[in-house]
Amino acid sequence: MDDCQALAHRLLAEEPALTSSLDFGPFVTQGTGAGPALIIGDQSEINLLRDAPDGNLEHRMALLAGPGDMVLVRRRDRAFERYLAHDLGLGDVTFAEVGNQGAASVARCAQDSPQIIEELTDLALANDGLTLRSYLTSAATWQLAAAIGKASGRVIHVAGPSPRVSQRANDKLWFSSLARGVIGRHATPPTLHSYGPTATTALVQHLSRMASEVIVKVPDSAGSAGNIKLQHD
């Protein structure tokens, strides 16, 4: 525990904004409130996924919804909503659609939609608050919470880390270093970083002398997007 506290103090000393970036006004706080949840499963802010064709992956988080919750999506899927209601018993869940507005995230599109902000404000007023549960708690998620809080005058909770912590945690190099600092040097496989194809090729050759397979990974993407698995006999 002492080692973890020392590591936390060091991280904060190196980057004070890890926690100070939580300041989004008097109506926004971190955690979970007593009211319903606004669920956002959007993944468009992840590197290598932002330009992917529209899919239904953002609908998966609807399975976490409870009675009275709202799911915010880019485009509604009526067939999936019927499946949730009729087969899984999730009928008391509301879906709201922000529309396909280019590469902007769902949370950003919601901020730019007076109709959506009005719906979310009404939801917060009717329940004396609201909790945002987002796949990725980026700055846009916190800013949406601030917009709802300002419009409703109610405290809006965000169930997730600060934008800076979320960004760092999605950096595989940063997270690997953190894991080794907490658990020990054996917490991850040998991990090296490079810039450019020439340096990457050299590191792959180096690692291949120690292992039968090497993974080349884009450090700030997810879901194996950008991964290349290399094997040799």
Side-chain angles (χ1 to χ4, degrees):
M1 181 62 70
D2 290 341
D3 290 342
C4 290
Q5 289 178 339
L7 178 61
H9 288 313
R10 179 175 64 79
L11 291 173
L12 287 175
E14 293 174 352
E15 192 172 3
L18 281 175
T19 54
S20 64
S21 58
L22 282 170
D23 185 12
F24 284 90
F27 297 110
V28 180
T29 188
Q30 190 176 40
T32 302
L38 174 65
I39 296 174
I40 306 173
D42 179 37
Q43 301 175 31
S44 64
E45 292 185 88
I46 296 175
N47 191 28
L48 298 186
L49 295 183
R50 60 174 57 94
D51 296 325
D54 290 341
N56 292 323
L57 292 179
E58 65 176 351
H59 290 76
R60 295 182 301 177
M61 280 187 65
L63 295 169
L64 302 178
D69 290 347
M70 177 181 286
V71 182
L72 195 61
V73 295
R74 194 175 302 276
R75 278 205 189 96
R76 293 180 64 176
D77 186 328
R78 310 284 178 168
F80 184 68
E81 292 174 29
R82 288 193 294 271
Y83 162 72
L84 292 177
H86 298 152
D87 295 297
L88 301 185
L90 299 176
D92 190 18
V93 175
T94 303
F95 284 79
E97 178 181 276
V98 301
N100 187 7
Q101 302 181 35
S105 69
V106 166
R108 183 71 62 195
C109 292
Q111 292 176 61
D112 295 335
S113 170
Q115 178 183 346
I116 294 294
I117 292 296
E118 183 178 354
E119 286 186 49
L120 298 177
T121 298
D122 290 343
L123 187 63
L125 285 170
N127 296 276
D128 198 30
L130 187 65
T131 296
L132 269 63
R133 300 183 183 274
S134 182
Y135 180 85
L136 181 64
T137 50
S138 65
T141 305
W142 287 88
Q143 289 161 358
L144 175 59
I148 301 168
K150 182 179 179 181
S152 66
R154 299 294 187 270
V155 174
I156 308 300
H157 288 75
V158 177
S162 73
R164 191 66 65 96
V165 170
S166 182
Q167 184 181 38
R168 292 292 174 268
N170 280 284
D171 180 337
K172 307 307 182 293
L173 292 171
W174 185 92
F175 190 81
S176 294
S177 176
L178 181 65
R180 290 192 293 272
V182 174
I183 303 173
R185 62 187 183 90
H186 298 297
T188 68
T191 303
L192 303 171
H193 66 275
S194 64
Y195 299 90
T198 302
T200 301
T201 300
L203 287 182
V204 167
Q205 291 177 333
H206 171 70
L207 289 172
S208 68
R209 300 188 186 102
M210 300 181 288
S212 61
E213 60 183 39
V214 178
I215 307 296
V216 180
K217 187 174 186 65
V218 177
D220 60 346
S221 196
S224 298
N227 286 8
I228 301 175
K229 181 178 180 180
L230 304 173
Q231 292 179 287
H232 67 83
D233 298 326

